[in-house]
């Protein structure tokens, strides 16, 4: 009986003289009775002991009692004594228990049963789940956190690295893992392999300003961790975006507009929860031949605002590297549904740990808890910048009092043992700080740190088709030498060219946050004639887009001194100023009327700009790293060559521009666009014009951003524009269940136009121009071999239009597609 019905009853049965005393007595007794009968506990999987989230709990005569949270914990409160309690969850046998008087804690294990999210035939208009999904989609913008004017919260994250034993039953787990006397079995009996904790303060202001400020960071075995783990970065923070991200891969959201065309939905359960509201449990999975990167899972929808109350999902198709499962729990905060808990579980099938002769895949169990949630707080635009993630200076030095205040649960014995175990290994066996520094340098700098120096791996061995193989050594000082000054030097020898490349310089780090540096560099070595360089976005030397440099003519041997200044300008712009003096010796002649140039000196000044709208960065203790942008990246360069400056010989202007953009479609794959253009004065020598980069040969490497059927050195231009278009359907058109055979269909078309007016009427020139337009198209089937570190495939391109060959066979170029992920 509600409070208002009790008041009406008192008014009917008593005189006005006793109404006030009765009301006061009722107000005193009601909260006492509401808290009198309560049961708490935890629900787990009977087979593997793992916590079960979102289990429905019903008490007594069917009264809805709530559901378990992401950790499997529940609490039910009843105004009447609890005599009966029931637990139900999709894929598990329901359990109904009688409750003894005085019971306050009850742990339950549910037995899994065979359950398939099967597709059944439903006549048009008869699927009851569709009406609910339509309502969720209609209210999506209203319920999405990013639809608010602003919000802020504190997030506590915890990730545990351990082994996955979920395939074992409870008894088998003990006998297989813990019964032996191997060292690994003894380790796993008491602790996990690694644990990480992070506390961050996160905020948002419309339309799209975000910040994640790490205030505490703790990693077992590390004294100075620069690795910030946040569950919210492993998955989208909320389930209302069109494309839901898991481990940096996008999946079409089952509640995106038009999702009923691609997903099958089934209403699994309906539960009234009082006050006229109802919970709907809906399962979902992609339809057969839907041709999407989709998700399998279940969601619980609350009719109060048609909001998602919880969701559990995993990719419908395995990536091969890991299996992922995400969970999200929502609660109403200040009248708005908001995420409260986020889980991400990853099982790495390719990384196994041997325990008592059995191989178990490694797993990462991530849990995130949101608290101190504020809806529409007053925030200022100045609180946000291009730095999306940063850390407080003392984030890695927080004491135990700090962690006790922020942990959702107290430190468990197993977690404490893991910290002690891994810290001991780092202290007595191998310094994990050194290992992390090594991994970061290999990944981001392609270098190995040795004391005060970083050895550059890219200088150890090199190859190009014109110079052959080269061996060398390059090194630079690091922060252990100085955080302000960087010294560098390199040297290599090319055996086919029979000449060395070498150089060195100094760089001053003016501002890490602004990425501001000033430097002076000397170099002597080979370079390409007419190269379009300086705009490279890919740092890895193993990236397919860098294969085109294997084909460049290296027909210049030069000596160069350059002074440079670099800095970020505002949020979206980065500027470069380069002043150089260069002596060039040309090893190959390109001329208009037999007036070839053998050598020349150039004094140049270059201004270069890089514009990346809304590009975001992570700032660690050691560096700032880009997280990319959803918008086009534009480069622009203006170079002026001066005559009679330090004996320089030519005066001319050169302009270059480049635009890159990727478009992601969950239903269709990824479209990539690369546009390049250039213009140089007619006063520049031919060898300083633009050499259109061709990588054509009968069989060669597929190099995106180049012309696959064009011969290198085939075309020179004073001005040109080139367009490179490609679309990768991923595995959407050719799905397989194989762990290594995952074909991806890529379609590509490349177009170019350019001319050199001063050479148009000269029959003596020894090169061609492309004023009639150059065209080629191709198809690549990548991923014919797709394992953890290597992806390979084959393709072919065809040359057509004004510059095609009369012999049709000569217009084809066969390609090997190769990607190496180290």
């Amino acid at each position: 009986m509600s409070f208002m019905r009790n008041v009406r009853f008192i008014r009917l049965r008593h005189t006005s003289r006793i109404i006030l005393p009765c009301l006061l007595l009722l107000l005193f007794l009601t909260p006492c009775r509401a808290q009198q009968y309560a049961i708490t506990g935890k629900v787990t999987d009977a087979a593997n002991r793992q916590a079960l989230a979102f289990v429905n709990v019903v008490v007594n005569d069917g009264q809805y009692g709530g559901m378990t949270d992401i950790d499997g914990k529940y609490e039910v409160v009843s105004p009447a004594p609890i005599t009966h309690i029931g637990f139900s969850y999709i894929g598990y046998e329901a359990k109904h228990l009688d409750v003894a008087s005085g019971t306050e804690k009850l742990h339950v294990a549910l037995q899994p049963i065979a359950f398939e999210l099967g597709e059944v035939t439903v006549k048009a208009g008869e699927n009851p789940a569709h009406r609910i999904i339509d309502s969720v989609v209609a209210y999506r913008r209203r319920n999405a956190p990013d639809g608010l004017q602003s919000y802020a919260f504190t997030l506590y994250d915890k990730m545990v690295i351990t082994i996955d034993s979920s395939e074992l039953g409870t008894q088998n787990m003990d006998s297989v893992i813990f019964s032996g006397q191997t060292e690994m079995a003894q380790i796993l009996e008491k602790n996990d392999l690694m644990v990480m904790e992070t506390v961050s303060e996160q905020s948002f202001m419309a339309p799209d300003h975000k910040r994640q400020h790490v205030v505490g960071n703790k990693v077992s075995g590390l004294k100075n961790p620069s690795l910030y783990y946040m569950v919210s970065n492993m998955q989208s923070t909320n389930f209302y975006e069109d494309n839901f991200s898991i481990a940096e891969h996008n999946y079409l959201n089952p509640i995106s507009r038009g999702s009923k065309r691609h997903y099958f939905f089934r209403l699994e359960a309906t539960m009234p929860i009082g006050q006229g509201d109802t919970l709907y449990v809906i399962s979902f999975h992609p339809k057969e031949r839907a041709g999407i990167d989709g998700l399998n899972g279940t969601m619980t929808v609350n009719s109060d605002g048609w909001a998602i109350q919880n969701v559990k999902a995993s990719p419908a198709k395995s990536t091969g590297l890991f299996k992922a499962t995400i969970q999200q729990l929502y609660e109403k905060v200040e009248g708005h549904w908001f995420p409260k808990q986020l889980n991400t579980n990853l099982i790495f099938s390719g990384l196994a740990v041997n325990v008592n002769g059995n191989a178990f895949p490694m797993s990462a169990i991530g849990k995130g808890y949101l608290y101190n949630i504020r809806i529409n707080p007053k925030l200022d635009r100045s609180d946000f910048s291009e730095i999306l993630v940063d850390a407080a200076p003392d984030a890695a030095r927080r004491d135990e009092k700090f962690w006790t205040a922020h942990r959702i649960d107290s430190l468990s014995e197993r977690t404490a043992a893991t910290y002690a175990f891994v810290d001991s290994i780092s202290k007595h066996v191998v310094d994990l700080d050194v290992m992390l520094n090594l991994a970061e340098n290999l990944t981001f700098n392609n270098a190995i740190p040795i004391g005060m120096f970083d050895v550059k791996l890219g200088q150890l061995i090199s190859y190009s088709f014109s110079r052959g193989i080269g061996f060398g050594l390059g090194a630079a000082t690091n922060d252990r030498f100085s955080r302000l000054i960087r010294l560098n030097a390199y040297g290599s020898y090319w055996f086919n060219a029979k000449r060395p490349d070498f150089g060195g310089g100094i760089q001053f780090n003016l501002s890490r946050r602004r990425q501001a540096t000033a430097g002076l560099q000397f170099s002597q070595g080979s370079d390409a004639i007419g190269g379009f360089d300086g705009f490279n976005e890919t740092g890895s030397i193993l990236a397919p887009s860098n294969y085109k440099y294997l084909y460049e003519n290296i027909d210049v041997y030069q000596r160069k001194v350059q002074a440079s200044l670099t800095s970020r300008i505002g949020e979206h712009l980065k500027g470069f100023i380069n002043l150089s003096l260069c002596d060039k010796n040309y090893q190959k002649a390109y001329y208009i009327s037999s007036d070839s140039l053998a050598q020349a000196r150039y004094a140049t000044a270059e201004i270069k700009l890089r514009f990346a709208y809304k590009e975001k960065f992570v700032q660690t203790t050691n560096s700032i790293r880009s997280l990319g942008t959803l918008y086009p990246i534009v480069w622009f360069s203006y170079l002026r060559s001066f005559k009679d400056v330090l004996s320089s010989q030519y005066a001319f202007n050169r302009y270059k521009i480049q635009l890159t953009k990727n478009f992601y479609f969950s239903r269709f794959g990824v479209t990539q666009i690369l546009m390049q253009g250039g213009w140089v004065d007619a006063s520049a020598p031919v060898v300083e014009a633009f050499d259109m980069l061709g990588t054509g040969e009968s069989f060669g490497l597929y190099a995106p951003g180049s012309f696959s059927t064009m011969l290198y050195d085939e075309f020179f231009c004073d001005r040109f524009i080139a367009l490179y278009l490609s679309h990768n359907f991923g595995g959407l058109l050719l799905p397989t269940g194989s762990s290594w055979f995952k074909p991806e269909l890529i379609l590509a078309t490349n177009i170019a136009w350019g001319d050199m007016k001063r050479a148009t009427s000269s029959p003596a020139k020894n090169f061609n121009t492309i004023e009639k337009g150059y065209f080629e198209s191709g198809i690549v089937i990548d991923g014919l071999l797709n394992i953890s570190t290597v992806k390979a495939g084959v393709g072919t391109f065809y040359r057509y239009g004004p510059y095609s060959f009369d012999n049709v066979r000569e217009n084809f170029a066969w390609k090997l597609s190769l990607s190496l992920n180290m």
Side-chain angles (χ1 to χ4, degrees):
M1 185 176 294
S2 72
F3 176 81
M4 291 306 297
R5 287 198 298 269
N6 285 337
V7 171
R8 286 194 295 269
F9 176 80
I10 292 170
R11 285 177 173 172
L12 289 172
R13 297 290 187 178
H14 297 80
T15 66
S16 60
R17 288 177 298 179
I18 61 171
I19 291 178
L20 184 57
C22 287
L23 285 173
L24 293 175
L25 180 62
L26 192 60
L27 289 171
F28 177 77
L29 293 178
T30 299
C32 296
R33 292 192 61 188
Q35 298 180 11
Q36 187 172 359
Y37 305 102
I39 295 179
T40 62
K42 186 174 183 178
V43 181
T44 57
D45 185 312
N48 57 32
R49 301 175 182 172
Q50 293 185 358
L52 289 180
F54 316 141
V55 175
N56 299 304
V57 185
V58 176
V59 299
N60 294 343
D61 57 352
Q63 173 191 349
Y64 175 73
M67 65 175 55
T68 60
D69 65 9
I70 282 182
D71 296 317
K73 298 177 181 179
Y74 72 92
E75 179 181 11
V76 293
V77 179
S78 173
I82 299 175
T83 60
H84 186 83
I85 190 168
F87 302 88
S88 62
Y89 187 57
I90 297 176
Y92 290 81
E93 292 182 1
K95 180 169 284 191
H96 303 277
L97 302 172
D98 293 326
V99 179
S101 177
T103 301
E104 296 181 353
K105 193 174 289 291
L106 181 63
H107 300 308
V108 176
L110 299 185
Q111 191 68 40
I113 57 176
F115 176 76
E116 293 290 338
L117 294 174
E119 191 163 341
V120 298
T121 301
V122 179
K123 294 182 179 180
E126 290 188 358
N127 189 338
H130 283 182
R131 177 182 64 85
I132 302 165
I133 293 299
D134 287 341
S135 297
V136 173
V137 173
Y139 281 77
R140 187 177 62 159
R141 179 62 181 170
R142 182 181 303 179
N143 291 321
D146 288 0
L148 294 166
Q149 186 62 33
S150 63
Y151 61 74
F153 60 85
T154 303
L155 176 66
Y156 166 77
D157 282 306
K158 180 180 178 181
M159 184 176 72
V160 174
I161 307 295
T162 184
I163 65 169
D164 175 57
S165 57
S166 59
E167 299 298 324
L168 297 176
T170 304
Q171 295 180 351
N172 289 337
M173 191 185 308
D174 292 332
S175 61
V176 173
I177 299 180
F178 303 137
S179 61
Q181 298 300 315
T182 65
E183 184 178 4
M184 183 56 69
Q186 295 174 10
I187 291 172
L188 292 173
E189 185 175 8
K190 297 179 180 180
N191 47 250
D192 298 303
L193 301 177
M194 193 174 189
V195 62
M196 305 168 60
E197 294 177 283
T198 304
V199 176
S200 60
E201 296 174 347
Q202 305 200 20
S203 53
F204 163 85
M205 187 174 74
D208 55 4
H209 304 296
K210 292 186 178 182
R211 187 189 181 197
Q212 301 175 4
H213 180 59
V214 177
V215 295
N217 189 31
K218 186 175 184 180
V219 182
S220 56
L222 299 180
K223 297 178 181 178
N224 299 297
S226 59
L227 182 63
Y228 308 143
Y229 170 75
M230 279 168 277
V231 174
S232 58
N233 293 335
M234 293 294 292
Q235 59 170 288
S236 297
T237 309
N238 68 81
F239 204 70
Y240 289 97
E241 301 170 0
D242 282 336
N243 295 309
F244 188 85
S245 175
I246 301 178
E248 298 184 352
H249 190 95
N250 289 326
Y251 300 89
L252 181 66
N253 196 323
I255 63 167
S256 60
R257 294 192 181 277
S259 62
K260 290 187 297 184
R261 296 194 302 269
H262 306 284
Y263 276 93
F264 175 77
F265 298 96
R266 184 163 64 191
L267 181 61
E268 302 288 350
T270 301
M271 293 170 289
I273 56 175
Q275 299 179 349
D277 292 318
T278 304
L279 290 184
Y280 302 96
V281 180
I282 298 175
S283 62
F284 55 86
H285 64 84
K287 293 180 178 179
E288 291 185 12
R289 296 181 294 276
I292 63 169
D293 277 341
L295 299 168
N296 292 335
T298 59
M299 70 176 79
T300 300
V301 177
N302 195 314
S303 63
D304 179 9
W306 297 104
I308 293 175
Q309 187 160 318
N310 64 64
V311 62
K312 179 179 180 180
S314 58
K317 293 180 291 188
S318 172
T319 64
L321 297 177
F322 53 78
K323 298 177 181 178
T325 302
I326 66 97
Q327 296 172 327
Q328 295 191 352
L329 177 65
Y330 293 74
E331 292 182 5
K332 258 197 166 180
V333 180
E334 299 179 19
H336 195 282
W337 288 96
F338 205 85
K340 289 286 289 187
Q341 291 181 245
L342 309 172
N343 274 15
T344 304
N345 292 353
L346 304 177
I347 299 176
F348 301 91
S349 54
L351 298 175
V353 176
N354 188 286
V355 183
N356 293 335
N358 298 280
F360 293 93
M362 292 182 64
S363 68
I365 303 173
K367 297 184 178 182
Y369 303 86
L370 289 76
Y371 56 98
N372 294 338
I373 298 171
R374 293 174 290 148
I375 303 298
N376 291 326
K378 187 176 181 180
L379 301 176
D380 192 91
R381 176 65 180 84
S382 61
D383 296 334
F384 303 89
S385 71
E386 72 276 13
I387 305 297
L388 177 64
V389 183
D390 65 349
D394 57 348
R397 299 190 296 274
R398 297 294 189 180
D399 57 20
E400 196 58 31
K401 183 179 179 180
F402 170 89
W403 291 107
T404 300
H406 287 85
R407 288 186 180 116
I408 302 303
D409 290 326
S410 59
L411 187 67
S412 67
E413 292 184 5
R414 187 173 183 86
T415 301
T418 302
Y419 272 119
F421 169 70
V422 182
D423 288 348
S424 177
I425 289 179
S426 184
K427 183 177 180 180
H428 300 291
V429 181
V430 57
D431 191 330
L432 296 183
D433 281 290
V434 173
M435 296 300 294
L436 178 61
N437 186 36
L438 173 61
E440 286 185 314
N441 271 278
L442 284 173
T443 303
F444 299 108
N445 301 326
N446 195 33
I448 296 177
I450 300 177
M452 296 186 297
F453 298 93
D454 292 339
V455 177
K456 303 293 184 178
L457 296 182
Q459 299 289 339
L460 295 179
I461 183 169
S462 304
Y463 182 80
S464 79
F465 295 125
S466 61
R467 288 182 292 182
I469 193 169
F471 294 96
L473 182 65
T477 59
N478 53 37
D479 283 353
R480 298 185 65 176
F481 173 81
S482 172
R483 293 179 63 88
L484 176 63
I485 299 174
R486 289 283 191 275
L487 303 176
N488 68 84
Y490 69 92
S492 61
Y493 186 81
W494 297 91
F495 285 89
N496 279 9
K498 294 182 172 56
R499 60 192 182 202
D501 289 356
F502 57 90
I506 184 172
Q507 175 181 291
F508 299 92
N509 296 320
L510 307 180
S511 170
R512 287 180 182 259
R513 183 179 180 87
R514 305 309 306 173
Q515 296 177 290
T517 63
L520 183 65
Q521 190 78 18
F522 168 80
S523 62
Q524 179 169 314
S526 304
D527 198 8
I529 289 180
F532 189 94
D533 55 8
F535 296 161
N536 193 16
E537 291 285 345
T538 306
S540 173
I541 59 175
L542 301 176
S545 58
N546 284 335
Y547 293 161
K548 58 191 174 186
Y549 299 116
L550 296 174
Y551 291 86
E552 279 189 319
N553 69 69
I554 308 297
D555 295 328
V556 178
Y557 196 69
Q558 65 181 23
R559 181 183 295 107
K560 184 177 183 179
V561 177
Q562 177 171 289
S564 61
L565 179 65
T566 302
S567 179
R568 293 194 59 81
I569 307 169
E571 291 190 21
H572 316 301
L573 193 64
K574 189 173 184 179
F576 307 78
I577 298 177
N578 300 316
L579 305 175
S580 65
L581 182 67
C582 185
D583 291 323
K584 294 187 177 183
N585 289 281
Y586 299 100
Q587 311 295 308
K588 189 174 181 180
Y590 294 91
Y591 52 84
I592 296 176
S593 55
S594 70
D595 55 345
S596 61
L597 185 64
Q599 62 183 20
R601 167 171 285 193
Y602 302 92
T604 62
E606 180 186 30
I607 297 176
K608 188 163 57 175
L609 300 173
R610 178 184 181 273
F611 181 77
Y613 184 60
K614 292 190 177 181
E615 182 178 25
K616 297 300 180 182
F617 297 86
V618 174
Q619 180 173 319
T620 71
T621 55
N622 298 323
S623 63
I624 292 180
R625 301 189 184 111
S626 174
L627 295 172
T629 177
L630 298 176
Y631 297 89
I633 298 176
V634 180
W635 285 87
F636 172 78
S637 167
Y638 167 66
L639 180 142
R640 172 64 181 176
S641 179
F642 300 94
K643 188 176 181 180
D644 298 327
V645 175
L646 299 175
S647 302
S648 59
Q649 299 166 262
Y650 291 92
F652 59 87
N653 300 297
R654 179 191 289 133
Y655 303 87
K656 296 188 297 184
I657 190 168
Q658 174 177 288
L659 180 148
T660 57
K661 176 71 174 81
N662 293 346
F663 296 90
Y664 298 92
F665 307 96
S666 294
R667 300 176 180 89
F668 309 110
V670 181
T671 296
Q672 295 181 315
I673 297 178
L674 169 62
M675 296 181 64
Q676 294 177 337
W679 180 83
V680 64
D681 285 348
S683 55
V686 171
V687 284
E688 291 301 312
F690 298 104
D691 180 5
M692 304 304 297
L693 183 54
T695 57
E697 52 185 337
S698 58
F699 185 80
L701 287 172
Y702 173 49
S706 68
F707 288 90
S708 296
T709 61
M710 183 187 294
L711 305 177
Y712 47 92
D713 297 345
E714 186 175 358
F715 298 100
F716 271 77
C717 303
D718 277 345
R719 54 180 181 169
F720 83 96
I721 184 169
L723 174 64
Y724 306 90
L725 293 172
S726 68
H727 183 83
N728 187 336
F729 289 93
L732 301 179
L733 298 184
L734 304 170
T736 70
S738 172
S739 61
W740 60 270
F741 178 67
K742 300 177 182 179
E744 300 177 3
L745 178 63
I746 302 173
L747 301 180
T749 292
N750 304 321
I751 304 170
W753 174 92
D755 70 354
M756 185 181 291
K757 288 186 177 181
R758 52 183 162 147
T760 303
S761 59
S762 175
K765 65 178 184 294
N766 65 341
F767 57 87
N768 297 316
T769 56
I770 49 174
E771 59 271 6
K772 296 180 182 180
Y774 188 93
F775 306 90
E776 67 175 21
S777 294
I779 180 173
V780 178
I781 302 178
D782 202 5
L784 297 177
L785 173 66
N786 193 338
I787 56 179
S788 58
T789 58
V790 178
K791 183 167 70 173
V794 295
T796 184
F797 279 75
Y798 183 74
R799 172 174 177 163
Y800 55 94
Y803 297 100
S804 61
F805 297 114
D806 293 335
N807 186 337
V808 174
R809 293 181 59 183
E810 295 181 8
N811 292 315
F812 283 96
W814 298 90
K815 296 294 178 179
L816 170 66
S817 174
L818 181 64
S819 302
L820 302 176
N821 301 311
M822 304 302 290

